[in-house]
């Protein structure tokens, strides 16, 4: 199992994200709200003279979309609580994540103003 697949599965299992669209990199225009779109900002693969280390670090951006501020913040807080907790999901060990920052945004759509809460976090992970 890949880190990306395991992280998506981990988020989709959250009660706070029940029914939410959760996907990497894209949110189709016709997709519903709430939604969480994941993006890799950068990844590190540490190594020594002996080779690659088992634990990797990726900086992930979580874009939490909802039609109102309260719902967007609830998504944000669910994401933060999840990545801050260590877990093993689908053969991937997630160590305690580090929240780098979060910020708010919005966009105008045909459906109205969409609220966006954005979280950047470092995630350490390894295959078990």
């Amino acid at each position: 199992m890949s880190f990306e697949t395991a992280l998506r599965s981990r988020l989709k299992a959250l009660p706070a994200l029940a029914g939410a669209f959760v996907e990497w990199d894209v949110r189709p225009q016709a997709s519903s709200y709430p939604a969480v779109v994941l993006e890799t900002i950068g990844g590190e693969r540490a190594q020594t003279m002996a080779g690659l280390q088992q634990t990797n670090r990726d900086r992930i951006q979580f874009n939490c979309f909802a039609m109102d501020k309260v719902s967007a913040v609830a998504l944000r807080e669910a994401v933060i609580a999840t990545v801050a907790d260590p877990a093993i999901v689908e053969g991937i060990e997630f160590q305690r994540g580090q929240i780098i920052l979060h910020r708010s945004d919005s966009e105008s759509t045909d459906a109205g103003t969409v609220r966006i809460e954005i979280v950047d976090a470092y995630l350490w992970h390894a295959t078990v």
Side-chain angles (χ1 to χ4, degrees):
M1 187 63 51
S2 72
F3 159 72
E4 290 84 359
T5 302
L7 179 57
R8 181 177 179 270
S9 294
R10 187 175 184 197
L11 291 175
K12 287 198 65 77
L14 293 175
L17 273 68
F21 176 88
V22 179
E23 193 54 75
W24 283 93
D25 300 320
V26 297
R27 186 182 61 79
Q29 288 184 350
S31 64
S32 62
Y33 300 101
V36 177
V37 176
L38 309 161
E39 297 180 63
T40 301
I41 303 302
E44 296 178 14
R45 302 299 181 256
Q47 60 183 346
T48 65
M49 295 300 281
L52 291 172
Q53 299 297 296
Q54 180 180 357
T55 302
N56 301 306
R57 182 178 86 160
D58 284 89
R59 181 175 175 178
I60 305 298
Q61 181 172 302
F62 301 84
N63 303 288
C64 304
F65 296 85
M67 292 305 295
D68 60 83
K69 180 74 171 179
V70 171
S71 298
V73 168
L75 289 174
R76 179 194 74 203
E77 293 304 312
V79 166
I80 288 172
T82 299
V83 301
D85 263 354
I88 296 176
V89 177
E90 298 179 0
I92 301 295
E93 176 188 10
F94 291 90
Q95 297 176 5
R96 186 172 179 82
Q98 177 187 358
I99 307 306
I100 302 168
L101 61 88
H102 67 84
R103 65 182 181 88
S104 300
D105 201 353
S106 64
E107 63 182 36
S108 296
T109 69
D110 292 340
T113 301
V114 176
R115 305 299 178 170
I116 311 165
E117 291 293 315
I118 302 164
V119 176
D120 273 22
Y122 284 124
L123 301 183
W124 286 266
H125 57 92
T127 303
V128 290

